[in-house]
Amino acid sequence: MTAIELNDVSKSFGFGATRIHALEALSLSIPSQGVYGLLGPNGAGKSTLLRMICGLVRPDRGGISLFGEPAGPPTRARLGALIDAPTFYPFMTAREFLAMLASVSGVRADVPALLRRVDLTRAADQKVSGFSLGMRQRLGIAAALVARPAAVILDEPTNGLDPDGMIEIRHLIRRLAQEEGLAVLLSSHLLDEVEKVADRVAILNRGRLVAEGKVGDLLGGEERLWLDVAQQEPVLEKLGEVAWVEGKGVAVRIARAEVPRLLSSLLSENISVYEAKWIRPDLETFFLAETRDSKA
Amino acid sequence: MALPVRSELQKIFRQRALFAAGFLAVPAFAVLAKIFTDGILFARVARALPAAGIDPVLSAARSLGVADNSLAQLFFALGVASIFVVDYRFATWRHLIPRRSRLAFWSAKSVAALACLSLSLLLVALGDLGVTLVLAVLRGQQIGDFTWAISVPVFFLALLVAVAELLALTAMTALLTVVFRSSMAAVLSVFLFGLATVLLQVYLGSSSELGWTPSAAASLARSGVFDGGRFQVVPYLSGICILLCWGVVCGVLGFVLFQRQELPSE
């Protein structure tokens, strides 16, 4: 079963020449368990998509289903969301804010436990206006969890957190998915973060879906040998289709056993090799390749 | 429905300055004005006159006419707009919209605004009652001499007019707050509209041509209560109906706009 399903969703803002297509015929299925990463450069349509799921923005075309039913107030009540920068009533304390959200949701929430979970116990009775960005981020995550949701939408949840805080939130996200069985839709610019926690990812660019699948499958390409050589042309000529320019060097698709022979043949042809290293496929490289391709 | 109302009340009570300006300033000014005018009258003239004929409940009923005062409406509109604008101002719709239907939030804000306005009217009436009683006792009247029962129905009829007028004001302010997403723009528009209708009424010299405006409708309804010495049903009900029409039309229009309003950033 899917937690969130988008069918052929489109959304534009503005009129005439200033019209911007935020999303174009987007279809996605987010499973009811696990972490689903949403990636995309600025302006790709991620925030519009998240706001649309939460009912803040209406699609021009297409439909959204939540937990197998058309999206509406009853199904949206099963979502928890942290969208964009966390915003609060500055005149309330963290405890009051969470209690208020729980009462609006019609649930009895264990606010002290929730505050402990995001490490805000000591600041529980401070007004939110005095919170640092990291504390606001933690309170935003607590707000998303206050009504015991079945699916959580987290938009840049580690923004403003220190490295320890980022690791804690990453663990929290994994726990939510693995131990509590929630669906987590995680939007982030931090590709490394998404790669570490997400089971599946979707990459958006200019409102379109450019790649989607399991992280392992998307990065399923072979490792490649990267060479920093004095002259690239002779290497490319010698190796043909298995070599290409990558950055300031040459990448070679080659088996590990073949490397000593390759290096000695380059040296024998007086091609200086300054550095040779194995490069594992990562999400950043994949992301850049996908978003650059579609820009072109 | 009950729970969002409580959260709306909590939000406005926590914004103390706005709550005081919107809902406590008018009763405070009304009581001060009553003390000032009746105090002068008491000091200059009334002390020497017999104390008979003072009716505190009727005086309290008349004091509810403050709902028709343009300056009072400016403060009331500020209070109402503060309730409706808070989630635009702090960009907190994103926390609320996924949790309940927009109708629940719209209704909760409307009920919270009307509850605060009713509290304000109650304070105006209680303040007037208190000042009248104190001054009457100072003039030597006994509490047992007051004719409470006769004016009680008049008080409730006048209260209904004031509530209906403030219902129309609430709906209009809510509509404009949703349109502008700003309390200042909404409050100024409501104030200018109220002022313009009052000026037109003064200029034309009769409320008949402008009977459809909230101010004229309220005057019509009040004339049914206070003019002629006895209750007149037709002007009273006509005025109330016009005010309710304003309330319903603006309220429904505001809700429809809010229901369809995009919130790409609050």
Side-chain angles (χ1 to χ4, degrees):
Chain A
M1 186 179 145
T2 57
I4 302 167
E5 190 153 6
L6 293 101
N7 293 310
D8 203 25
V9 168
S10 297
K11 179 71 189 172
S12 302
F13 293 105
F15 300 96
T18 59
R19 193 171 178 85
I20 295 167
H21 297 284
L23 291 173
E24 285 188 71
L26 181 69
S27 294
L28 273 184
S29 286
I30 291 146
S32 58
Q33 200 171 348
V35 182
Y36 194 98
L38 188 62
L39 300 171
N42 288 338
K46 302 190 299 291
S47 286
T48 302
L49 172 62
L50 301 184
R51 282 180 173 269
M52 206 177 269
I53 293 169
C54 290
L56 296 162
V57 168
R58 274 174 295 112
D60 294 338
R61 196 159 53 87
I64 301 172
S65 304
L66 300 174
F67 313 104
E69 293 173 38
T75 47
R76 286 200 178 100
R78 296 173 65 194
L79 290 177
L82 164 66
I83 298 178
D84 290 342
T87 53
F88 310 101
Y89 307 107
F91 46 81
M92 279 190 184
T93 66
R95 191 190 303 278
E96 285 170 343
F97 180 70
L98 293 178
M100 190 215 72
L101 286 185
S103 94
V104 167
S105 302
V107 297
R108 276 185 183 279
D110 186 352
V111 172
L114 205 53
L115 287 164
R116 257 197 316 278
R117 197 169 189 187
V118 293
D119 197 20
L120 278 178
T121 304
R122 276 188 295 171
D125 296 310
Q126 282 176 26
K127 286 220 173 115
V128 180
S129 53
F131 276 23
S132 67
L133 180 58
M135 289 163 84
R136 295 169 80 90
Q137 205 70 33
R138 288 168 193 274
L139 183 57
I141 293 169
L145 299 176
V146 76
R148 291 189 292 275
V152 187
I153 294 170
L154 299 174
D155 191 5
E156 309 285 353
T158 53
N159 253 4
L161 296 181
D162 56 25
D164 282 346
M166 288 169 91
I167 291 168
E168 274 174 46
I169 296 302
R170 218 177 280 151
H171 287 161
L172 174 66
I173 291 169
R174 291 276 0 142
R175 270 206 310 278
L176 289 173
Q178 288 173 349
E179 294 169 21
E180 299 183 26
L182 301 188
V184 180
L185 176 56
L186 171 68
S187 163
S188 179
H189 282 110
L190 302 177
L191 302 172
D192 180 47
E193 178 178 284
V194 173
E195 191 176 342
K196 279 182 180 142
V197 296
D199 305 302
R200 294 181 74 88
V201 292
I203 299 177
L204 298 186
N205 194 26
R206 296 183 175 189
R208 289 179 180 277
L209 183 68
V210 291
E212 200 273 340
K214 285 185 177 172
V215 177
D217 294 346
L218 293 178
L219 306 181
E222 301 162 80
E223 283 186 317
R224 59 202 186 278
L225 183 71
W226 185 82
L227 301 171
D228 183 4
V229 288
Q231 302 146 294
Q232 292 177 349
E233 290 77 19
V235 181
L236 293 170
E237 266 176 38
K238 181 177 171 62
L239 299 175
E241 284 182 357
V242 298
W244 64 93
V245 175
E246 190 173 305
K248 289 178 180 172
V250 174
V252 186
R253 198 182 306 119
I254 187 171
R256 276 182 180 264
E258 301 288 320
V259 175
R261 197 141 43 111
L262 170 67
L263 290 176
S264 56
S265 75
L266 292 176
L267 291 171
S268 67
E269 289 177 32
N270 285 331
I271 298 171
S272 303
V273 179
Y274 300 117
E275 188 183 352
K277 62 181 178 187
W278 284 103
I279 294 182
R280 197 174 62 85
D282 59 18
L283 202 51
E284 184 174 320
T285 314
F286 182 77
F287 174 83
L288 290 173
E290 291 298 328
T291 52
R292 277 179 191 158
D293 284 354
S294 58
K295 270 179 194 169
Chain B
M1 173 64 187
L3 292 170
V5 173
R6 202 170 61 186
S7 82
E8 292 305 328
L9 288 173
Q10 186 188 9
K11 281 184 249 176
I12 189 65
F13 289 156
R14 296 304 304 270
Q15 300 175 87
R16 290 191 192 100
L18 288 172
F19 178 73
F23 304 110
L24 300 182
V26 172
F29 285 137
V31 170
L32 285 175
K34 172 86 177 167
I35 292 171
F36 185 71
T37 53
D38 285 19
I40 287 175
L41 196 70
F42 172 74
R44 295 276 181 129
V45 189
R47 201 199 317 236
L49 296 174
I54 293 175
D55 186 340
V57 178
L58 186 62
S59 173
R62 286 190 186 281
S63 74
L64 295 174
V66 74
D68 199 31
N69 181 293
S70 297
L71 204 58
Q73 287 184 353
L74 176 71
F75 284 96
F76 284 144
L78 179 66
V80 173
S82 302
I83 290 175
F84 278 88
V85 87
V86 66
D87 293 295
Y88 294 102
R89 185 175 169 207
F90 298 114
T92 40
W93 278 126
R94 64 188 68 172
H95 291 294
L96 302 179
I97 295 289
R99 295 174 199 274
R100 293 235 172 184
S101 67
R102 292 195 186 203
L103 177 62
F105 292 113
W106 182 261
S107 311
K109 283 182 185 293
S110 303
V111 170
L114 284 173
C116 291
L117 289 170
S118 302
L119 171 75
S120 204
L121 286 178
L122 200 66
L123 290 176
V124 169
L126 284 175
D128 189 278
L129 194 73
V131 173
T132 310
L133 280 175
V134 168
L135 291 177
V137 169
L138 287 176
R139 286 169 62 184
Q141 194 164 8
Q142 300 295 311
I143 297 286
D145 298 341
F146 294 125
T147 49
W148 305 91
I150 297 170
S151 301
V152 169
V154 173
F155 176 82
F156 283 107
L157 289 170
L159 181 66
L160 191 60
V161 178
V163 169
E165 191 168 14
L166 292 182
L167 172 78
L169 178 87
T170 300
M172 200 184 296
T173 309
L175 165 66
L176 291 168
T177 307
V178 168
V179 170
F180 294 122
R181 303 185 189 202
S182 147
S183 58
M184 264 316 124
V187 169
L188 283 178
S189 305
V190 168
F191 176 64
L192 292 176
F193 175 76
L195 204 61
T197 56
V198 169
L199 290 176
L200 269 175
Q201 226 168 292
V202 170
Y203 177 71
L204 294 173
S206 160
S207 63
S208 58
E209 289 92 348
L210 293 165
W212 52 270
T213 64
S215 175
S219 301
L220 187 66
R222 279 197 188 90
S223 72
V225 181
F226 296 110
D227 293 359
R230 65 185 183 84
F231 178 59
Q232 299 162 66
V233 181
V234 176
Y236 182 80
L237 287 182
S238 307
I240 293 276
C241 284
I242 293 170
L243 289 170
L244 290 181
C245 281
W246 272 96
V248 170
V249 169
C250 289
V252 169
L253 204 60
F255 170 67
V256 170
L257 277 178
F258 176 58
Q259 176 75 11
R260 300 196 58 76
Q261 190 170 47
E262 302 267 28
L263 297 164
S265 64
E266 298 96 317

